Amino acid sequence: MGMIQPGAVGIAAPIQVSDWATASLGVVQLGVKADDALVPTVMDAAAEASARLSGAPRAEAAECY
């Protein structure tokens, strides 16, 4: 979590499909202090994106059948 500009707070996590980060997922909030509970949510979303982009099976897909 870090300060982007006065009044803006950002949280970002890497999206990895190889040894290097391919992209990142970020959230920016203006005018408020970022909620620390948002950090694991952003990390989980980036991990899910990494899994989907790498072709890993999703847990929810197995539950649908």
Side-chain angles (χ1 to χ4, degrees), residues 16-62:
Q16 288 186 260
V17 295
S18 66
D19 291 341
W20 295 93
T22 304
S24 67
L25 176 79
V27 174
V28 175
Q29 290 182 304
L30 300 174
V32 295
K33 180 182 179 299
D35 183 356
D36 289 340
L38 188 57
V39 173
T41 303
V42 172
M43 297 293 290
D44 289 346
E48 176 71 14
S50 296
R52 289 185 185 200
L53 289 170
S54 66
R58 293 178 25 216
E60 302 93 50

